[in-house]
Structures are given as structure tokens and as C-alpha cells.
Amino acid sequence: MEVQVIPLIIVVTYLVAMLVVGALVSKLQIKNAKDYVVAGRRMGLFMVAFSLSANNIGGGCTTGLAQKAFGNWGMSACWYVLACSIAMIPLAYFAPKIRKTMAVTIPEVVGRRFGKFASNFTAILSVLSLFCLTSSQIAASGGVINALIPSIPLNVCLIFAGIVIILYTTMGGMIADQISDLVQFIIIIVGLAIATPIVLNKAGGWGAIAAKLPGEKLDFTAIGWASIIGYILNFFCTFLAGPEMVSRFETAKDEKTAQRAAFVSAILMAAMSIFPTLLGLAAFALKDQLPALAENGSNAMMVVTGAFAPGLVTGLISAAIICATMSSADSNLLCMSTMIMNDLYTGLGGKKELSDKQMIFWTRACNVIAAVIAMIISLAGVSIVTMNTFAFGIRCAGPFAAYGLGMAVPKATRNSGIWSIVTGTVAFVAWQLIGKGATILFMMPVVFGAIVSVATFYIINLIEWKKGVAPAPSAFLSDEEVAKKIAEESASRN
């Protein structure tokens, strides 16, 4: 296979630009720990909205979506991204509450309400999942680079992708992360919007392509309403208890901006859902003309674009794919390092007060260490689908009720949060093992775990409310206010 020169130049230019962004932000914008981990809480509507969208649109929503359209899903593959879009709408209810907490992480809020055990358990689940997610995104990024330069071994490409992610995330923190997210999503949506009509036109137009497709390929609801509802619920659960999503809302300049950003993000994701789907369908219709096409359509987007679009457009698509994967990897990495320092370090007995300089230094150190471990995992060749399925479920199913309802139910008791995390996590693992990750009715493992978490939360609350158990401290109090309230309650009981 030959090196794809023009796409390679575009991708390398993009990667260099991201490194420059990281260096400039580090020099000019990072003044304290708040700047590094939550962008100084000063981000505007479009910066937050584009960042939310870029984090959701990873490799699964670009190359993966084209593969689904090529396979059994056909036109209904659109629903994989449309479900993300719809899930953002109810999330808009929680967005201002998330911003109102003035927290840095999910475990911080859970700990305020339900205590140290709940916080530490949530942090451990989240960090474990973020290791898996970062590994899968590094693997996907390395795969794109390897496709552009097939003469370089895949392992070398994985290491290169990991180093780039380490450098610009570590240098610029959340500000660089959000700037890169803005650039990345623009490249994704513009690249796909330009490439798709060019490919369809060069292939004879949509009418000619549709004529070559079986009728079921054009069915917009072929996957069934149970699956569609299941995906919407799945994405809502993973978004509400997703560290990288919550961290974006925390960077908004105010609560109203956070809420509006959720709606804008929903529109942006809905707009791009059709492009990978059409490219996957075009690849299926023209598969006899595409000898390089994999039997399962895993490379459908790249192959059909390379065959029917100019090198410049193929370069944009290559950049869009690597943007999609890296936009998720940098966010996962930064969230993981922030939780290690903000929650696990202090929660497991570390020094309570670190200076801004110390916090930034050690968070950056965690970025490097965590990324290196993630690179090693990616080199082991573990299935990306397996890692992602496990990661999204293990971090969301248990903490879903404690975090989301912990903000929405002021009278919730401490035990309701603790036990909902435990039972939700156990239910997810059990459903995953019993069903081998499959969807039963409309319930994916993470949805089942979240339902059990919510049920446990309300059952224990109803029992303890009847007993007159006092509510847990508010999610919207500072750590100092939480400690003071607990001390006052303890004194009154004595």
C-alpha cells in the first residue's frame, strides 16, 4: 500500500497545530489550578456546546456509524447519533444544577452528599473506566495514522498518537482541551459535509446508489423502536454520569450558558448524523468497485472516500476521524488525572491542601503516567468495543442515581446514595455477564444498572423518611460547609 501524501500532510498539520495550541495556552492562560482543570469557569455558549459535541462524536460515531450503515443497520444507523442528540435534551435539565455545584468532579459532589466511601467508590469506578476509554481512543487514533502510513508498524503509530495526546493535554489542560474540541468538531462536521456530496455525485448520485440497495437498507427504523429507545436511555445514563460531559458543564461561565449549550450540542450532533450513514450506504452499493473494502465494512468511510473524492477531501476525512478519536482521548485523560488528584489523593489520606502550582504539577504528572499505562493497554490489542462497553457501564450505572438524583432530591438520605452506587454497579456487572453485553428488550447493561440504582435510591429514601432520618448535606454546599453541617448534626445528637 502506498502512503497517502495529501491526507498525511493535512493530519500532520492538524497534530502540529494542536501541539502549538497546548504550548500557547500553557504559557498565556494557565494561571492557577482552576484555569487548568475547569478553564477558569469562563467558557461561553459555543465553546461549551462544541466541546460537548466533540466528546460525544468519537470513532464510533464516524467510522463506526459508516460500518453500521454498511452492515445490517442501513439508513437506521442514523439513530446511533440521533439518540445522542435526543439524550442531550433531558440532560439540559441537569446542566444548570451541575454548574451550580461549583465542583470539579462527580465524586466531589457525591462525597458532599453521601460521604467519603461513596466518593472514593465513585472515583475508583470512574478512573478505571477512563483508563479503558483512553486506551481505546489511542488505539483508534493509531489505527488512522497506520492507514495513512502503512509502512510504519501499528505499534509505532499507537505510541505516536499517545505522545501527541499527552503533550497537548498536559500542557494546556481544560482550556487547550476545549479549544482543540472546537477545532476538532468543526473539522469533523465540515469535512463530512464536504466529502459526502462529492462522493455521492462522483458515484452517480443518490438515486443511482439507492437503486442498488436492498429495500431494507433504506428503512429508517430497521433496528426497531426497542433498540432506538434503548440507545436514547443508554446515552442519557452515560452522559449524566460521564466525567468528561460533567466537566464541560462545570467550565460554563454561568448556569444558563450550561443549559443552552446542551440544546445547541443536540442540534450539532443531529446535523452530522446523516453523513457517515450515507457514506456507509454508498460503500455497500459500490462494493464491487472497491477491492480494498473490508468484508465487514470497518473501513467503508475511508475506502469509499478515497475512491471517489480528491486527495484533499480524503485528507479532511482522515483529519475528521483522528479528530473524533483524539477529542475523546484528551478529555478522558484530563478527567482521569483530575479525579486522581482531586478525589482519590485526598480521599485516601493525601495532603488536604495543595497549592495551585502543586496541583497543576501533579495533575500533569498523572496525565503522563496515565497515558503511558493507557498506551500499554492499547498495545495489548484488547478489543475497542469490549473496552468501551465495560468502561461506559462501570462508571455510570452505579453512581447514576447518587449523582443525578443527589442534585435533584434535596431530602435524600446518606444511605440511599451509598447503596444505590453499590447495587447499580452489581446489577450492571450481573446483566453484562448474563446477557454477554446484549440488549434485552430495550435495556442495555448500563440502563439496567441505572434503573436498579434509581430503584434502590428511592426505596431506601422512602424507608428512612418514614423513620425520620435526616437528609444528607446539600450537593450545593462547599466542603467547608458540609463539614460544618455534619459537626453541628453530630453535636446536636450528643
Side-chain angles (χ1 to χ4, degrees):
M1 294 178 67
E2 297 180 355
V3 175
Q4 301 180 50
V5 178
I6 295 178
L8 180 60
I9 291 172
I10 292 175
V11 170
V12 170
T13 300
Y14 158 75
L15 295 176
V16 171
M18 291 300 96
L19 292 176
V20 171
V21 167
L24 289 176
V25 168
S26 177
K27 185 176 181 64
L28 301 175
Q29 296 291 321
I30 305 299
K31 307 299 182 184
N32 53 49
K34 188 170 73 171
D35 287 338
Y36 191 77
V37 298
V38 288
R41 302 192 196 273
R42 58 176 180 268
M43 291 299 177
L45 172 62
F46 289 104
M47 188 69 80
V48 178
F50 274 88
S51 189
L52 287 168
S53 303
N55 274 282
N56 293 335
I57 305 299
C61 295
T62 50
T63 54
L65 190 60
Q67 182 180 0
K68 290 179 187 296
F70 181 93
N72 296 331
W73 288 37
M75 185 63 78
S76 67
C78 282
W79 279 106
Y80 190 73
V81 176
L82 286 176
C84 291
S85 174
I86 294 170
M88 290 297 295
I89 296 173
L91 194 64
Y93 165 77
F94 289 94
K97 297 180 184 297
I98 292 170
R99 177 60 178 79
K100 185 180 178 182
T101 65
M102 295 294 287
V104 174
T105 65
I106 290 173
E108 182 180 346
V109 176
V110 171
R112 288 179 187 174
R113 291 228 71 184
F114 307 116
K116 184 178 289 187
F117 172 80
S119 175
N120 289 343
F121 191 22
T122 300
I124 290 170
L125 294 175
S126 295
V127 169
L128 178 61
S129 77
L130 289 167
F131 265 119
C132 295
L133 291 171
T134 303
S135 300
S136 69
Q137 298 300 342
I138 290 175
S141 300
V144 175
I145 297 171
N146 181 245
L148 297 176
I149 322 173
S151 59
I152 298 179
L154 176 60
N155 286 351
V156 176
C157 295
L158 291 176
I159 292 171
F160 176 75
I163 290 172
V164 172
I165 292 167
I166 288 171
L167 288 175
Y168 82 79
T169 305
T170 300
M171 286 188 293
M174 182 60 78
I175 297 177
D177 197 356
Q178 289 209 316
I179 292 173
S180 64
D181 282 347
L182 175 66
V183 174
Q184 286 159 349
F185 192 79
I186 290 173
I187 292 175
I188 292 168
I189 197 165
V190 170
L192 290 171
I194 292 174
T196 303
I198 290 176
V199 169
L200 297 181
N201 183 59
K202 289 288 184 70
W206 174 247
I209 291 172
K212 297 180 181 180
L213 294 171
E216 61 269 18
K217 284 282 186 184
L218 300 175
D219 185 351
F220 188 60
T221 59
I223 60 173
W225 283 107
S227 293
I228 292 170
I229 294 170
Y231 274 108
I232 294 171
L233 293 174
N234 175 70
F235 286 123
F236 173 67
C237 293
T238 54
F239 288 172
L240 178 57
E244 67 279 5
M245 298 293 289
V246 168
S247 67
R248 266 61 196 168
F249 289 126
E250 292 288 3
T251 68
K253 64 182 181 180
D254 53 43
E255 295 166 28
K256 191 169 291 186
T257 297
Q259 185 172 55
R260 289 173 177 171
F263 288 120
V264 173
S265 177
I267 295 170
L268 290 172
M269 287 189 291
M272 68 81 57
S273 64
I274 190 64
F275 301 125
T277 303
L278 292 178
L279 290 173
L281 289 172
F284 183 88
L286 304 166
K287 58 184 177 181
D288 293 339
Q289 304 174 41
L290 304 171
L293 189 64
E295 186 175 348
N296 65 355
S298 59
N299 59 349
M301 181 184 289
M302 289 298 298
V303 169
V304 75
T305 305
F308 293 99
L312 180 63
V313 175
T314 305
L316 284 174
I317 289 295
S318 300
I321 294 171
I322 202 166
C323 284
T325 55
M326 285 193 168
S327 65
S328 299
D330 55 18
S331 301
N332 293 331
L333 181 59
L334 185 59
C335 287
M336 176 170 37
S337 301
T338 302
M339 282 190 192
I340 290 172
M341 290 306 302
N342 188 74
D343 303 305
L344 287 180
Y345 171 74
T346 56
L348 297 176
K351 182 181 176 182
K352 295 299 182 182
E353 293 295 333
L354 292 176
S355 68
D356 283 339
K357 187 175 181 180
Q358 288 174 318
M359 180 63 78
I360 293 172
F361 173 82
W362 287 111
T363 304
R364 282 173 166 163
C366 287
N367 280 337
V368 175
I369 295 169
V372 169
I373 295 173
M375 287 164 61
I376 293 171
I377 295 173
S378 69
L379 291 170
V382 181
S383 166
I384 291 176
V385 174
T386 300
M387 284 195 290
N388 284 355
T389 301
F390 171 77
F392 281 121
I394 201 67
R395 76 177 185 180
C396 298
F400 177 79
Y403 180 67
L405 297 180
M407 293 185 292
V409 181
K411 294 183 179 180
T413 64
R414 186 177 294 270
N415 284 328
S416 69
I418 294 172
W419 283 105
S420 68
I421 296 172
V422 174
T423 59
T425 302
V426 171
F428 161 73
V429 173
W431 197 263
Q432 181 78 19
L433 293 175
I434 293 169
K436 297 181 180 179
T439 300
I440 303 174
L441 296 176
F442 60 86
M443 285 195 288
M444 299 175 187
V446 64
V447 176
F448 179 71
I451 290 173
V452 171
S453 176
V454 170
T456 302
F457 182 87
Y458 277 113
I459 289 170
I460 291 181
N461 270 315
L462 288 173
I463 293 171
E464 296 201 323
W465 287 341
K466 288 183 178 179
K467 292 181 177 180
V469 176
S474 170
F476 306 107
L477 298 177
S478 67
D479 289 343
E480 292 77 12
E481 290 172 316
V482 171
K484 181 179 178 181
K485 183 169 182 178
I486 291 174
E488 289 174 349
E489 290 176 352
S490 177
S492 65
R493 287 196 297 268
N494 294 332

